[in-house]
């Protein structure tokens, strides 16, 4: 997906990025616009529905050492123009999957 991240003033870097699962939200890249017109969710390398997020989180948990599971973070990289309804759907699915640590990727604004 195409992704222009929003800007934020209170930004903190993640120490261990191996503990992050990335959910990309945005308009399809130019080569896929013939098939998809609305903003989409991308998990790994394919477009998915919000209902696929629980399985995505479960797979990350299974691939992670047991002592590191409480430290897992889900990072949402949403395009600045993504609709809040889609972000809310993602957050609902993350709650169902008991993935409560959520990070929103942004650029640090320079003022």
């Amino acid at each position: 997906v195409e992704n222009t991240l929003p800007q934020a003033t209170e930004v903190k870097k993640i120490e261990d990025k191996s503990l992050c699962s990335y959910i990309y939200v945005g308009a399809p890249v130019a080569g896929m616009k013939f098939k998809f017109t609305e903003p989409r969710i991308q998990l790994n390398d394919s477009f998915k529905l919000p209902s696929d997020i629980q399985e995505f989180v479960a797979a990350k948990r299974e691939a992670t050492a047991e002592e590191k599971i409480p430290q897992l973070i889900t990072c949402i990289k949403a395009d600045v123009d993504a609709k809040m309804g889609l972000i809310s759907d993602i957050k609902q699915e993350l709650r169902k999957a008991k993935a409560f640590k959520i990070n929103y990727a942004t650029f640090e604004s320079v003022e």
Side-chain angles (χ1 to χ4, degrees), residues 37-50:
T37 55
E38 294 295 313
R40 303 287 299 184
I41 297 171
Q42 180 180 333
L43 305 174
N44 294 328
D45 291 334
S46 60
F47 292 131
K48 299 290 185 176
L49 299 172

Side-chain angles (χ1 to χ4, degrees), residues 90-103:
I90 292 168
K91 288 174 57 176
Q92 288 295 333
E93 291 300 319
L94 290 171
R95 284 186 194 115
K96 290 177 189 175
K98 295 184 178 24
F100 300 118
K101 281 186 163 183
I102 301 173
N103 173 321

Side-chain angles (χ1 to χ4, degrees), residues 54-81:
Q54 290 184 54
E55 184 180 319
F56 174 71
V57 171
K60 179 67 174 183
R61 280 191 183 131
E62 289 205 13
T64 304
E66 191 172 335
E67 66 274 1
K68 298 241 182 199
I69 290 175
Q71 300 168 359
L72 288 177
I73 300 168
T74 304
C75 184
I76 299 174
K77 286 188 153 190
D79 186 73
V80 71
D81 294 324

Side-chain angles (χ1 to χ4, degrees), residues 2-59:
E2 292 178 350
N3 215 318
T4 303
L5 298 177
Q7 293 188 357
T9 55
E10 299 298 318
V11 180
K12 182 180 174 186
K13 268 196 169 191
I14 296 174
E15 300 287 323
D16 187 358
K17 293 191 181 200
S18 68
L19 295 173
C20 291
S21 300
Y22 292 94
I23 298 175
Y24 299 91
V25 182
V29 292
M32 295 298 288
K33 288 195 180 195
F34 69 93
K35 191 173 182 181
F36 303 108
T37 55
E38 294 295 313
R40 303 287 299 184
I41 297 171
Q42 180 180 333
L43 305 174
N44 294 328
D45 291 334
S46 60
F47 292 131
K48 299 290 185 176
L49 299 172
S51 57
D52 297 320
I53 291 173
Q54 290 184 54
E55 184 180 319
F56 174 71
V57 171

